[in-house]
Structures are given as C-alpha cells and as structure tokens.
Amino acid sequence: MRLIKPTAVVIALLSGLLMSTLAQAHPKLLSSSPAEGATGAPPDKIELHFSENLVTQFSGAKLLMTEMAGMAHDPMPIKAKVSGSSDPKSMLITPAAPLTAGTYKVEWRAVSSDTHPITGNVTFKVK
C-alpha cells in the first residue's frame, strides 16, 4: 500500500484554492450612474464602477437609444466617447451631444487582468 505524503496533500489543496480564487477574479459591475432603471435628467456622462481594475485597451461600451416617446425604432447608436477614469475600476461614457428624452442602454465589455471579457448592460430613461 502506498501512502500519500502530507506535503503532496497540502500542495494539492493550495493549488485548488488558488485556481478557485483565479476563476472568481472576473470584473463585476458594482454600480452605475445613472443607476439601472433610473429616470431623470440627461446625464453629462455615464459612469460604470467595477469590482476589479480594468484593462482599458480591451474594455469598452456602446451607448444606444432604444426607445423614443411615441416612436418605435430599432436601437440607434449614440455617438459617445468611452474612456477610463482616475479610478482604474471605472469606465466613463461621455455622449457627444446632450441626450434627448427616451430610453437608453449602455452595452459594456469589461476585461481585467485575468483577460476574460465580461459583458452586460445598463438601461436608464431620460425625461
């Protein structure tokens, strides 16, 4: 009968813990401004705050108008600048012109040091 050395067991357990920690290291959207589902005045910028530092060259977002009062239409791209901020966990979306009344969606892609892209969206309304 062959016995397993205690050091081999410890190494295997530590490796499993390390792998599970790395697997959970994806950026998560913690908050946005405007918040998901909010209704209000047109924002000068949209801020997305994540749980991890972003790799800005691989992260990004699109701003779309999805609904205009009294008018059905397909999502329309809105010209906007996407950039990082002084906080490496944040992304800024700055519309090129003031947003008009309607419903908007930000489709985002966040990449952190683990290089796995995570996608999502935030929807808000402008009065």
Side-chain angles (χ1 to χ4, degrees):
M1 179 173 182
R2 192 171 153 207
L3 295 175
I4 298 174
K5 293 182 181 181
T7 54
V9 172
V10 170
I11 289 171
L13 288 172
L14 288 175
S15 295
L17 285 173
L18 178 62
M19 293 305 286
S20 68
T21 301
L22 289 175
Q24 296 174 11
H26 299 311
K28 293 176 182 65
L29 182 66
L30 299 177
S31 65
S32 66
S33 177
E36 170 65 33
T39 299
D44 293 332
K45 63 184 173 197
I46 299 133
E47 298 181 58
L48 305 178
H49 303 283
F50 293 90
S51 60
E52 311 236 348
N53 290 355
L54 300 176
V55 179
T56 55
Q57 63 265 40
F58 300 121
S59 300
K62 290 190 296 188
L63 178 59
L64 304 166
M65 181 182 225
T66 59
E67 183 180 302
M68 183 183 289
M71 183 182 222
H73 61 77
D74 290 333
M76 296 184 326
I78 303 297
K79 188 172 182 177
K81 177 183 174 191
V82 180
S83 62
S85 78
S86 58
D87 176 0
K89 294 179 181 180
S90 294
M91 183 186 304
L92 299 175
I93 300 96
T94 308
L99 298 179
T100 58
T103 303
Y104 293 85
K105 178 167 56 169
V106 176
E107 295 179 344
W108 55 264
R109 171 187 167 102
V111 178
S112 67
S113 60
D114 73 353
T115 69
H116 293 115
I118 304 298
T119 59
N121 61 71
V122 174
T123 302
F124 62 93
K125 292 184 179 185
V126 172
K127 288 183 180 182

